[in-house]
Amino acid sequence: MKRGDEGLAFMLRYENVAWYEDGKVRILDRRIYPVRAEYVVCRKHEEVAQAIADMVTQSAGPYTAAAMGMALAAYEVMKSGRADVEEYMEHAAYTLSHARPTTVNAMVKITDGAMTIVREKVRAGETGQKLVDAMQEYAFHYINNNYLKYCKVGSYLADQIPKNGTVMTICFAETVIGTALRECRNRGNEIKMICAETRPYFQGARLTASVACDMGFDVTVVSDNMPGYAMKEKKVDVFTSAADVITMDGYVVNKVGTFQMALMANYWGIPYYATGEPNEAHKTIDTVRIEERDPDQVLEAMGTRVTMPGVKGYYPAFDITPPKLCDGVVTDKGIFAPLNLNAYFNQIK
């Protein structure tokens, strides 16, 4: 079987995202990579959910972790000898899919897919190790098919990047960045990357920049208050980001800071492309709940406190970019106007 991670950076290899094996899920700790390459080892599905909530893995990583967590849950129920296998797996599915509030609808799709297999296996009397194997296979096919889908997204995004052009990003678009870079390399397009650092977890500096560097591309990190100036001075051709949610009315919900960078790009006449799949569960932006995280994380940098005691922090995890600031939503079926996302679901792959 063709693996979609072939030729991608270390941290995008399947085993270094989230991986179930022998009764545990191992997740690369993206909070500290690349300073250290360490893994959080989870022996219960609740620990996988907590790792997702704690942002041990981000971007597409939580979805893979949830799929692998379902394999771990199947192992747990096998070892316990409980008869209520389906009930236990339903509980695990809920726990994993609700680890972070903003992405619940997308996570439910993954756990629902796993539960469809669980019910089939239970009805056929195939529990125990057979169920574990089925969940492990489901998790592998999930990540592999996801990568193969994003190969198409990466190719469509690469189409928008001029020869030897400069691309600015925020946060970590994970597989899209890896596949787009791989596609550019295959086309002989040696692009340059500029990554906004993306506080407070520094995903842009640590993760996106690491992927680009690992794959041999020219990459520069700027602090989060530099993009407006850097866009002009460094002659940025394209601004792109992933999206945690793309609503059917064209709003892009992504890492906080995306909105202000989209505004800057619009001012300078630089196109902004969001990557991802429109979410039919969110017909309008009104149904999206913006997650607010521990405000103390804003008051420190990589574990070091930078403010005086008594200073308060505020940490919305995401912001909302309106459709008029987005030049296109890049999907596995092509690029769609933000106000025409119904066309995505009407188009055959």
Side-chain angles (χ1 to χ4, degrees), residues 168-171 196 198-200 224-225 227-228 231 239-241 252-265 272 315-321 325:
M168 181 173 282
T169 66
I170 182 173
C171 203
T198 326
R199 287 205 63 216
D224 288 344
N225 55 342
M231 281 181 180
F239 168 52
T240 186
S241 79
V252 177
V253 180
N254 191 51
K255 178 66 181 180
V256 66
T258 304
F259 171 51
Q260 63 199 33
M261 291 176 68
L263 277 170
M264 297 172 201
Y272 163 48
Y315 182 9
F318 309 99
D319 62 19
I320 300 167
T321 300
L325 295 179

Side-chain angles (χ1 to χ4, degrees), residues 181 208-217 219:
L181 289 173
T208 304
S210 293
V211 165
C213 184
D214 200 2
M215 294 178 69
F217 284 85
V219 58

Side-chain angles (χ1 to χ4, degrees), residues 7-13 30 33-34 172-182 185 193 195 203-219:
L8 298 185
F10 169 85
M11 67 173 298
L12 295 181
R13 300 287 293 179
R30 293 179 174 178
Y33 184 84
F172 182 44
E174 199 181 64
T175 318
V176 174
I177 288 296
T179 56
L181 289 173
R182 183 174 61 188
R185 172 65 45 74
M193 296 282 292
C195 304
Q203 296 104 313
R206 295 183 303 99
L207 307 182
T208 304
S210 293
V211 165
C213 184
D214 200 2
M215 294 178 69
F217 284 85
D218 183 316
V219 58

Side-chain angles (χ1 to χ4, degrees), residues 21 133 153 169 173 194 335:
E21 193 169 9
D133 293 343
V153 181
T169 66
I194 298 178
I335 302 177

Side-chain angles (χ1 to χ4, degrees), residues 68-177:
M68 296 292 172
M70 290 297 286
L72 178 56
Y75 175 82
E76 293 168 41
V77 75
M78 176 186 74
K79 295 296 287 185
S80 69
R82 292 175 56 161
D84 53 341
V85 174
E86 189 173 334
E87 181 182 342
Y88 188 88
M89 294 299 292
E90 288 276 12
H91 171 78
Y94 183 89
T95 301
L96 290 162
S97 62
H98 286 70
R100 294 189 67 183
T102 302
T103 55
V104 166
N105 285 297
M107 293 283 269
V108 164
K109 290 183 180 179
I110 295 161
T111 55
D112 276 357
M115 283 306 304
T116 297
I117 296 172
V118 169
R119 295 184 188 102
E120 290 173 355
K121 293 296 181 182
V122 170
R123 282 197 297 269
E126 297 178 359
T127 55
Q129 188 60 48
K130 288 184 178 181
L131 181 59
V132 175
D133 293 343
M135 288 294 94
Q136 188 174 13
E137 183 179 8
Y138 170 79
F140 174 80
H141 283 293
Y142 164 75
I143 188 172
N144 198 52
N145 290 336
N146 196 49
Y147 270 50
L148 294 176
K149 179 179 75 173
Y150 276 102
C151 287
K152 299 176 184 178
V153 181
S155 179
Y156 288 125
L157 181 59
D159 289 341
Q160 307 308 309
I161 305 172
K163 181 72 172 180
N164 302 327
T166 300
V167 179
M168 181 173 282
T169 66
I170 182 173
C171 203
F172 182 44
E174 199 181 64
T175 318
V176 174
I177 288 296

